[in-house]
Amino acid sequence: MKKATLAVLSAAIVLGGTLTAAGPYAAAQQLNAQPAVTAAAKDTNAASAFQLTPSLKKHWGGVEFTLEYLNASEAGTEFMISRKLPANPADLDPEIDRKITDMDYLAIDSSGWIYERQSGSGGMYAFPDGTLGMRHEEAVEALKDQPQELTIKPYIGGYYDDTSTMFADKADVKTPLNGMYPLQVDQGKIGSIAVTGVDFSEDKTVVRVAAAGETAPVQTTGIWLVENGKRLDESVKKLKSAEDGVYEYELEFPAVSKDASLELLTKRMTPVTFLDNLEMTVQLPR
């Protein structure tokens, strides 16, 4: 299904409609990035728990992006980005309008650790001055080892290369797991991943997968274990290490027999483009 753009969604709000949209992914351009802003902490009881209101702003194609808040606790990390449309719809670049609607975010800290997305939501919003726009709220994992900075990186792209359905067979990549590792798996234009090992136990099967670069969390999103032709869903995904730009994950699946015919199922994917002009970096309390 084709996504509605911000301009179309804005019209729906003006006319009393209830359309909402939350973007994930597409292609990009670059403008000059603005410098990072150091935010003051509020209600900070410890360096691992804080509430920040950076009001860090970026502009692109007539749209104003604002990092409204960044909150951290032992349970997780949350942030909200608002996207304020120009008062005159004619000032909104149609191509940028489409890309903004397809946008998603990656959170990475100063040590290079990428935080796994836990949930996200968004929708149309009327600002106090009457201007329309959108707000996107996202939750990721709890911060690790008290990093100095957290950078929020917007990106577009990373779709399965057959978009008729997320489970479309045309995008499938199946690789037999024969016990010989590392095992390279081609995912098309986005790159490749490597299966580095499989561990069997009575209650679960753990598949270790590595990917290079900041597209790693996208590349490791759609992976299944296939046992004797039966697709098994992942129950837990954990980033275990990040060294020299290589990210290794552990994916947990139901327990299977070592003697079963096992395959790794993943998808060919489109490239990812990071929108460097919209990056937002926040200094974190120590």
Side-chain angles (χ1 to χ4, degrees):
M1 179 177 143
K2 186 176 180 181
K3 286 187 177 180
T5 63
L6 290 178
V8 172
L9 293 168
S10 300
I13 295 294
V14 170
L15 296 173
T18 58
L19 286 174
T20 61
Y25 326 89
Q29 305 177 6
Q30 281 195 351
L31 302 174
N32 293 327
Q34 298 177 6
V37 169
T38 301
K42 300 192 304 181
D43 303 328
T44 302
N45 298 319
S48 60
F50 54 80
Q51 298 177 351
L52 305 179
T53 54
S55 294
L56 176 58
K57 297 182 184 296
K58 295 293 179 77
H59 296 83
W60 190 38
V63 180
E64 180 181 88
F65 296 77
T66 303
L67 178 58
E68 302 284 0
Y69 66 73
L70 173 65
N71 299 336
S73 70
E74 293 182 358
T77 308
E78 300 176 340
F79 62 86
M80 182 176 77
I81 293 178
S82 65
R83 310 168 189 173
K84 189 175 184 180
L85 300 176
N88 182 0
D91 294 335
L92 178 60
D93 184 301
E95 181 64 12
I96 291 178
D97 181 13
R98 181 187 65 80
K99 291 176 180 178
I100 289 171
T101 307
D102 286 339
M103 189 181 297
D104 211 338
Y105 298 90
L106 177 149
I108 182 170
D109 70 20
S110 45
S111 69
W113 194 266
I114 299 176
Y115 293 90
E116 192 69 16
R117 185 175 188 264
Q118 295 180 332
S119 65
S121 63
M124 293 303 300
Y125 176 74
F127 289 86
D129 63 1
T131 306
L132 296 175
M134 296 184 72
R135 295 202 298 189
H136 178 84
E137 297 175 273
E138 187 145 324
V140 300
E141 296 172 305
L143 297 179
K144 177 182 173 64
D145 299 332
Q146 299 182 7
Q148 297 178 349
E149 298 177 342
L150 187 71
T151 297
I152 298 171
K153 298 172 67 74
Y155 69 90
I156 47 182
Y159 290 109
Y160 296 153
D161 70 0
D162 181 352
T163 58
S164 59
T165 168
M166 67 177 295
F167 296 114
D169 292 342
K170 291 180 182 179
D172 283 358
V173 178
K174 290 184 179 179
T175 304
L177 300 178
N178 54 18
M180 303 294 290
Y181 306 109
L183 181 62
Q184 290 294 123
V185 180
D186 184 8
Q187 291 182 307
K189 293 179 180 179
I190 199 171
S192 64
I193 58 175
V195 181
T196 58
V198 180
D199 299 325
F200 301 90
S201 65
E202 292 184 357
D203 61 340
K204 64 185 176 183
T205 305
V206 177
V207 179
R208 298 193 301 276
V209 177
E214 294 175 355
T215 59
V218 182
Q219 291 178 253
T220 54
T221 296
I223 294 179
W224 297 264
L225 183 63
V226 180
E227 178 191 23
N228 297 327
K230 180 182 178 182
R231 185 198 311 243
L232 305 176
D233 292 330
E234 158 222 309
S235 58
V236 177
K237 174 186 170 185
K238 298 177 183 177
L239 177 59
K240 301 300 291 184
S241 67
E243 297 181 9
D244 299 324
V246 176
Y247 297 87
E248 185 165 27
Y249 292 84
E250 289 187 354
L251 310 179
E252 295 184 7
F253 296 91
V256 300
S257 170
K258 292 182 180 180
D259 300 324
S261 174
L262 298 178
E263 295 176 300
L264 187 83
L265 170 62
T266 184
K267 299 285 184 176
R268 287 186 300 276
M269 303 177 78
T270 62
V272 164
T273 301
F274 288 98
L275 304 178
D276 296 338
N277 54 301
L278 298 179
E279 271 191 19
M280 297 182 180
T281 298
V282 179
Q283 304 294 320
L284 303 180
R286 302 293 292 168

Coordinates of all heavy atoms in Angstrom, one line a residue, residues 78-138:
E78 N 14.0 6.6 25.7 CA 12.9 7.0 24.9 C 13.3 8.4 24.3 O 13.9 9.2 25.0 CB 11.6 7.1 25.7 CG 11.2 5.8 26.3 CD 9.9 6.0 27.1 OE1 9.7 7.1 27.6 OE2 9.2 5.0 27.4
F79 N 12.8 8.7 23.1 CA 13.0 10.0 22.6 C 11.8 10.4 21.7 O 11.1 9.5 21.2 CB 14.3 10.2 21.8 CG 14.5 9.3 20.6 CD1 14.0 9.6 19.3 CD2 15.1 8.1 20.7 CE1 14.1 8.8 18.2 CE2 15.3 7.2 19.6 CZ 14.8 7.6 18.4
M80 N 11.6 11.7 21.5 CA 10.5 12.1 20.6 C 11.1 13.2 19.6 O 11.7 14.1 20.1 CB 9.3 12.7 21.3 CG 8.2 13.1 20.4 SD 6.7 13.6 21.2 CE 7.2 15.3 21.7
I81 N 10.7 13.0 18.3 CA 11.1 14.0 17.3 C 9.9 14.6 16.7 O 9.0 13.8 16.2 CB 12.0 13.4 16.3 CG1 13.4 13.0 16.9 CG2 12.3 14.4 15.1 CD1 14.4 12.4 16.0
S82 N 9.7 15.9 16.7 CA 8.6 16.5 16.0 C 9.0 17.0 14.6 O 10.2 17.3 14.4 CB 8.0 17.7 16.8 OG 9.0 18.7 16.9
R83 N 8.1 17.0 13.7 CA 8.4 17.5 12.3 C 7.3 18.5 12.0 O 6.2 18.2 11.8 CB 8.3 16.3 11.3 CG 9.1 15.1 11.7 CD 8.7 13.9 10.8 NE 9.3 12.7 11.3 CZ 9.0 11.5 10.8 NH1 8.1 11.4 9.8 NH2 9.6 10.4 11.3
K84 N 7.7 19.8 12.0 CA 6.8 20.9 11.8 C 6.8 21.3 10.3 O 7.8 21.6 9.8 CB 7.2 22.0 12.7 CG 6.2 23.2 12.7 CD 6.7 24.2 13.8 CE 5.7 25.3 13.9 NZ 6.1 26.3 14.9
L85 N 5.6 21.3 9.7 CA 5.5 21.6 8.3 C 5.5 23.2 8.1 O 5.1 23.9 9.0 CB 4.2 21.1 7.8 CG 4.0 19.6 7.8 CD1 2.6 19.2 7.3 CD2 5.1 18.9 7.0
P86 N 5.9 23.6 6.9 CA 5.8 25.1 6.7 C 4.3 25.5 6.7 O 3.4 24.8 6.3 CB 6.4 25.2 5.3 CG 6.4 23.9 4.7 CD 6.5 22.9 5.8
A87 N 4.1 26.8 7.1 CA 2.8 27.3 7.1 C 2.1 27.3 5.8 O 0.9 27.1 5.6 CB 2.8 28.7 7.7
N88 N 2.9 27.6 4.7 CA 2.4 27.5 3.3 C 2.8 26.2 2.7 O 3.9 25.9 2.5 CB 3.1 28.6 2.5 CG 2.5 28.7 1.1 OD1 1.7 27.9 0.7 ND2 3.1 29.6 0.3
P89 N 1.8 25.3 2.4 CA 2.1 24.0 1.9 C 2.9 24.0 0.6 O 3.6 23.1 0.3 CB 0.7 23.4 1.6 CG -0.2 24.2 2.5 CD 0.3 25.5 2.6
A90 N 2.8 25.1 -0.1 CA 3.6 25.3 -1.4 C 5.1 25.3 -1.1 O 6.0 25.1 -2.0 CB 3.2 26.5 -2.2
D91 N 5.5 25.6 0.2 CA 6.9 25.7 0.5 C 7.5 24.3 0.9 O 8.7 24.2 1.2 CB 7.1 26.6 1.7 CG 6.8 28.1 1.4 OD1 6.9 28.4 0.2 OD2 6.4 28.8 2.3
L92 N 6.7 23.3 0.9 CA 7.2 21.9 1.2 C 7.5 21.2 -0.1 O 6.7 21.0 -1.0 CB 6.1 21.1 1.9 CG 6.4 19.7 2.3 CD1 7.6 19.6 3.2 CD2 5.2 19.0 2.9
D93 N 8.8 20.8 -0.2 CA 9.3 20.1 -1.4 C 8.6 18.8 -1.5 O 8.7 18.0 -0.5 CB 10.8 20.0 -1.3 CG 11.4 19.3 -2.5 OD1 11.1 18.2 -2.8 OD2 12.3 19.9 -3.1
P94 N 7.9 18.4 -2.6 CA 7.2 17.2 -2.7 C 8.1 15.9 -2.5 O 7.6 15.0 -1.9 CB 6.6 17.2 -4.1 CG 6.5 18.7 -4.5 CD 7.7 19.3 -3.8
E95 N 9.3 16.0 -3.1 CA 10.2 14.8 -3.0 C 10.6 14.6 -1.5 O 10.7 13.5 -1.0 CB 11.4 15.0 -3.9 CG 12.4 13.8 -3.9 CD 11.8 12.5 -4.4 OE1 10.7 12.5 -5.0 OE2 12.4 11.5 -4.2
I96 N 11.0 15.7 -0.8 CA 11.4 15.6 0.6 C 10.2 15.2 1.4 O 10.3 14.4 2.4 CB 12.0 17.0 1.0 CG1 13.3 17.2 0.3 CG2 12.1 17.0 2.5 CD1 14.0 18.5 0.7
D97 N 9.0 15.7 1.1 CA 7.8 15.3 1.7 C 7.6 13.7 1.7 O 7.4 13.1 2.8 CB 6.6 15.9 1.0 CG 5.2 15.6 1.7 OD1 5.2 15.1 2.8 OD2 4.2 15.9 1.0
R98 N 7.8 13.1 0.6 CA 7.7 11.7 0.5 C 8.8 11.0 1.3 O 8.5 10.0 2.0 CB 7.9 11.3 -1.0 CG 7.7 9.7 -1.2 CD 8.0 9.4 -2.7 NE 9.4 9.7 -3.0 CZ 10.4 8.8 -2.7 NH1 10.2 7.7 -2.0 NH2 11.7 9.1 -3.0
K99 N 10.0 11.5 1.3 CA 11.1 10.8 2.0 C 10.9 10.9 3.5 O 11.2 10.0 4.2 CB 12.4 11.5 1.6 CG 12.8 11.1 0.2 CD 14.1 11.8 -0.3 CE 14.5 11.5 -1.7 NZ 15.7 12.2 -2.1
I100 N 10.4 12.1 4.0 CA 10.2 12.3 5.4 C 9.2 11.2 5.9 O 9.3 10.7 7.0 CB 9.7 13.7 5.7 CG1 10.9 14.7 5.5 CG2 9.1 13.8 7.1 CD1 10.5 16.1 5.5
T101 N 8.1 11.0 5.1 CA 7.1 10.0 5.5 C 7.7 8.6 5.6 O 7.2 7.8 6.4 CB 6.0 10.0 4.5 OG1 5.5 11.4 4.3 CG2 4.8 9.2 5.0
D102 N 8.7 8.3 4.9 CA 9.4 7.0 4.9 C 10.5 6.9 5.8 O 11.3 5.9 5.8 CB 9.8 6.6 3.5 CG 8.7 6.3 2.5 OD1 7.6 5.9 3.0 OD2 8.9 6.3 1.3
M103 N 10.7 7.8 6.7 CA 11.9 7.9 7.5 C 11.8 7.1 8.8 O 10.8 6.9 9.4 CB 12.1 9.4 7.9 CG 13.4 9.7 8.6 SD 13.5 11.5 9.1 CE 13.5 12.2 7.4
D104 N 13.0 6.5 9.2 CA 13.1 5.8 10.4 C 14.4 6.3 11.1 O 15.1 7.0 10.6 CB 13.1 4.3 10.2 CG 12.4 3.5 11.4 OD1 12.4 4.1 12.5 OD2 12.0 2.4 11.2
Y105 N 14.6 5.7 12.4 CA 15.7 6.3 13.1 C 16.6 5.1 13.7 O 16.1 4.1 14.1 CB 15.2 7.1 14.3 CG 14.5 8.3 13.8 CD1 13.1 8.3 13.6 CD2 15.1 9.5 13.6 CE1 12.4 9.4 13.2 CE2 14.4 10.7 13.1 CZ 13.0 10.6 12.9 OH 12.4 11.7 12.5
L106 N 17.9 5.4 13.9 CA 18.8 4.5 14.5 C 19.5 5.3 15.7 O 19.8 6.5 15.5 CB 19.9 4.0 13.5 CG 21.0 3.1 14.0 CD1 21.4 2.2 12.9 CD2 22.2 4.0 14.4
A107 N 19.6 4.7 16.8 CA 20.3 5.3 18.0 C 21.6 4.7 18.2 O 21.7 3.4 18.5 CB 19.4 5.3 19.2
I108 N 22.7 5.4 18.2 CA 24.1 4.9 18.4 C 24.8 5.8 19.4 O 24.7 7.0 19.3 CB 24.8 4.8 17.0 CG1 26.2 4.2 17.2 CG2 24.8 6.1 16.3 CD1 26.8 3.8 15.8
D109 N 25.6 5.2 20.3 CA 26.3 6.0 21.2 C 27.7 6.2 20.8 O 28.2 5.8 19.8 CB 26.2 5.4 22.7 CG 27.0 4.1 22.8 OD1 27.9 3.8 22.0 OD2 26.6 3.3 23.8
S110 N 28.5 6.9 21.7 CA 29.8 7.4 21.4 C 30.8 6.2 21.3 O 31.9 6.4 20.7 CB 30.3 8.4 22.4 OG 30.0 8.0 23.8
S111 N 30.5 5.1 21.8 CA 31.3 3.9 21.7 C 31.0 3.1 20.4 O 31.7 2.1 20.2 CB 31.2 3.0 22.9 OG 30.0 2.4 23.0
G112 N 30.0 3.5 19.7 CA 29.6 2.7 18.5 C 28.5 1.7 18.7 O 28.2 0.9 17.8
W113 N 28.0 1.6 20.0 CA 26.9 0.6 20.3 C 25.6 1.1 19.7 O 25.2 2.2 19.9 CB 26.8 0.5 21.8 CG 26.0 -0.7 22.2 CD1 24.7 -0.8 22.5 CD2 26.5 -2.1 22.4 NE1 24.3 -2.0 22.9 CE2 25.5 -2.9 22.8 CE3 27.8 -2.6 22.3 CZ2 25.6 -4.2 23.1 CZ3 27.9 -4.0 22.5 CH2 26.8 -4.8 22.9
I114 N 24.9 0.2 19.0 CA 23.6 0.5 18.4 C 22.5 -0.1 19.2 O 22.6 -1.3 19.6 CB 23.5 0.0 16.9 CG1 24.6 0.6 16.1 CG2 22.2 0.2 16.4 CD1 24.7 0.1 14.6
Y115 N 21.6 0.7 19.6 CA 20.5 0.3 20.5 C 19.3 -0.3 19.8 O 18.8 0.4 18.9 CB 20.1 1.4 21.4 CG 21.2 1.8 22.4 CD1 22.2 2.8 22.0 CD2 21.4 1.2 23.6 CE1 23.2 3.1 22.8 CE2 22.4 1.4 24.4 CZ 23.4 2.4 24.0 OH 24.4 2.7 24.8
E116 N 18.9 -1.5 20.2 CA 17.8 -2.2 19.5 C 16.5 -1.5 19.8 O 16.2 -1.1 20.9 CB 17.7 -3.6 20.0 CG 16.8 -4.5 19.2 CD 17.4 -4.8 17.8 OE1 18.6 -4.6 17.6 OE2 16.6 -5.3 17.0
R117 N 15.7 -1.3 18.7 CA 14.4 -0.6 18.8 C 13.4 -1.5 19.5 O 13.3 -2.7 19.2 CB 13.9 -0.3 17.4 CG 12.6 0.5 17.3 CD 12.4 0.8 15.8 NE 11.3 1.7 15.6 CZ 10.0 1.3 15.3 NH1 9.7 0.0 15.3 NH2 9.1 2.2 15.2
Q118 N 12.7 -1.0 20.5 CA 11.7 -1.8 21.2 C 10.3 -1.4 20.7 O 9.4 -2.3 20.7 CB 11.8 -1.5 22.7 CG 13.2 -2.0 23.3 CD 13.3 -1.8 24.7 OE1 12.7 -0.8 25.3 NE2 14.1 -2.6 25.4
S119 N 10.0 -0.2 20.5 CA 8.7 0.2 20.0 C 8.7 1.6 19.4 O 9.7 2.4 19.6 CB 7.7 0.2 21.2 OG 8.0 1.2 22.1
G120 N 7.7 2.0 18.6 CA 7.7 3.3 18.0 C 6.2 3.6 17.6 O 5.4 2.7 17.4
S121 N 5.9 4.9 17.7 CA 4.6 5.3 17.3 C 4.7 6.8 16.8 O 5.6 7.5 17.0 CB 3.6 5.3 18.5 OG 4.0 6.1 19.5
G122 N 3.7 7.2 16.0 CA 3.7 8.5 15.5 C 2.3 8.9 14.9 O 1.5 8.0 14.7
G123 N 2.2 10.2 14.6 CA 0.9 10.6 14.0 C 0.9 12.1 13.8 O 1.9 12.8 14.1
M124 N -0.1 12.6 13.2 CA -0.3 14.0 13.0 C -0.4 14.8 14.3 O -0.9 14.3 15.2 CB -1.4 14.3 12.0 CG -1.3 13.7 10.6 SD 0.2 14.3 9.8 CE -0.1 16.1 9.8
Y125 N 0.0 16.1 14.2 CA 0.0 16.9 15.4 C -0.2 18.3 15.0 O 0.4 18.8 14.1 CB 1.3 16.7 16.2 CG 1.5 17.6 17.4 CD1 0.8 17.3 18.6 CD2 2.3 18.7 17.4 CE1 0.9 18.1 19.7 CE2 2.5 19.5 18.5 CZ 1.7 19.2 19.7 OH 1.8 20.0 20.8
A126 N -1.0 19.0 15.8 CA -1.2 20.5 15.6 C -0.4 21.2 16.7 O -0.7 21.1 17.8 CB -2.7 20.8 15.7
F127 N 0.6 22.0 16.2 CA 1.4 22.8 17.2 C 0.6 23.9 17.7 O -0.4 24.3 17.2 CB 2.6 23.3 16.5 CG 3.6 22.2 16.1 CD1 3.5 21.5 14.9 CD2 4.7 21.9 17.0 CE1 4.4 20.4 14.6 CE2 5.5 20.8 16.7 CZ 5.4 20.1 15.5
P128 N 1.0 24.5 18.9 CA 0.3 25.6 19.5 C 0.0 26.8 18.6 O -1.0 27.4 18.8 CB 1.2 25.9 20.7 CG 1.9 24.7 21.1 CD 2.2 24.0 19.7
D129 N 0.9 27.0 17.7 CA 0.7 28.2 16.8 C -0.2 27.8 15.6 O -0.4 28.6 14.7 CB 2.1 28.7 16.3 CG 2.8 27.7 15.4 OD1 2.3 26.5 15.2 OD2 3.9 28.0 14.9
G130 N -0.8 26.6 15.6 CA -1.7 26.2 14.5 C -1.0 25.5 13.4 O -1.7 25.0 12.5
T131 N 0.3 25.5 13.3 CA 1.0 24.8 12.3 C 0.9 23.3 12.5 O 0.9 22.8 13.6 CB 2.5 25.2 12.3 OG1 2.6 26.6 12.3 CG2 3.2 24.5 11.1
L132 N 0.7 22.6 11.3 CA 0.6 21.1 11.4 C 1.9 20.4 11.2 O 2.9 21.0 10.7 CB -0.4 20.7 10.3 CG -1.8 21.2 10.4 CD1 -2.6 20.8 9.2 CD2 -2.5 20.6 11.7
G133 N 2.0 19.2 11.6 CA 3.2 18.4 11.5 C 3.0 17.0 12.0 O 1.8 16.5 12.2
M134 N 4.1 16.4 12.4 CA 4.0 15.0 12.9 C 4.9 14.9 14.1 O 5.8 15.7 14.3 CB 4.4 14.0 11.9 CG 3.5 13.9 10.7 SD 4.1 12.5 9.6 CE 3.6 11.1 10.5
R135 N 4.6 13.9 15.0 CA 5.5 13.6 16.1 C 5.8 12.1 16.1 O 4.9 11.3 15.9 CB 4.9 14.1 17.5 CG 4.7 15.5 17.6 CD 4.6 16.0 19.0 NE 3.4 15.5 19.7 CZ 3.1 15.9 20.9 NH1 3.7 16.8 21.6 NH2 2.0 15.3 21.5
H136 N 7.0 11.8 16.3 CA 7.4 10.4 16.3 C 8.1 10.1 17.6 O 9.1 10.7 18.0 CB 8.4 10.1 15.2 CG 8.9 8.7 15.2 ND1 8.2 7.6 14.6 CD2 10.0 8.1 15.7 CE1 8.9 6.5 14.7 NE2 10.0 6.8 15.4
E137 N 7.5 9.1 18.3 CA 8.1 8.6 19.6 C 8.7 7.3 19.4 O 8.1 6.4 18.8 CB 7.0 8.6 20.7 CG 6.4 10.0 21.0 CD 5.3 9.9 22.0 OE1 4.1 9.7 21.5 OE2 5.5 10.0 23.2
E138 N 9.9 7.0 20.1 CA 10.5 5.8 19.9 C 11.2 5.3 21.2 O 11.7 6.2 22.0 CB 11.6 5.8 18.8 CG 12.2 4.5 18.5 CD 12.5 4.4 17.0 OE1 11.7 4.9 16.1 OE2 13.5 3.7 16.7

